[in-house]
Amino acid sequence: VTCSVSIGACEKGGQWKLASHLLSEAVAKKVCLDSIAYSDCADAGEQLGQWLPALGLLSAMLQLGVRRSPSAYIHGVGACASAMRWRTALGLLADMELQRIDRNSVSLTAGLSACARASRVQQALNLLASLEEEA
């Protein structure tokens, strides 16, 4: 619990490197963490546009058997949007659908932002249609 709280505090303070370090240490020591700790770490990375480490967190969650939450995906998509990685953002949204993880308006809006930042009009329109369908 203490480790998860510490990672959450790092997320709120925008301390990506410290959050990532704490998470790595916890995993190395086989501390059982829930999806919230991973989501908080991904959120800290999103704030700094750290898209590749956010993807690594999603991958680590799968390898360690931690349930990947909508929040973890949202932060991954958001980090991709910040870095203008629209294809990767859309890939995460597709993975959410495959994994039957709720693609809510927040995740679709993050994907829309990724497409808009990269001037991918058709992809943005497709996501808008998805938003309308899911509303």
Side-chain angles (χ1 to χ4, degrees), residues 2-129:
T2 302
C3 188
S4 291
V5 171
S6 298
I7 291 170
C10 291
E11 173 261 324
K12 292 190 182 9
Q15 298 294 320
W16 157 250
K17 288 183 180 180
L18 183 55
S20 180
H21 175 73
L22 289 171
L23 186 69
S24 295
E25 288 292 313
V27 169
K29 292 178 181 177
K30 300 189 187 310
V31 173
C32 185
L33 297 172
D34 60 13
S35 63
I36 295 170
Y38 288 87
S39 293
D40 285 347
C41 193
D43 187 14
E46 177 187 0
Q47 292 173 31
L48 298 173
Q50 298 289 328
W51 69 276
L52 197 54
L55 295 181
L57 286 171
L58 285 167
S59 179
M61 291 173 79
L62 179 65
Q63 292 172 356
L64 295 169
V66 177
R67 187 182 68 77
R68 294 182 287 173
S69 65
S71 178
Y73 273 100
I74 288 166
H75 297 306
V77 173
C80 290
S82 296
M84 292 181 43
R85 307 294 294 191
W86 66 274
R87 284 188 180 106
T88 308
L90 293 181
L92 289 175
L93 290 172
D95 190 47
M96 287 179 79
E97 194 168 20
L98 282 172
Q99 301 298 323
R100 297 185 180 173
I101 295 172
D102 182 33
R103 293 184 342 154
N104 58 26
S105 62
V106 177
S107 62
L108 291 171
T109 301
L112 183 62
S113 175
C115 292
R117 287 180 181 197
S119 300
R120 304 305 299 187
V121 176
Q122 188 57 53
Q123 288 80 3
L125 290 172
N126 292 344
L127 282 177
L128 276 174

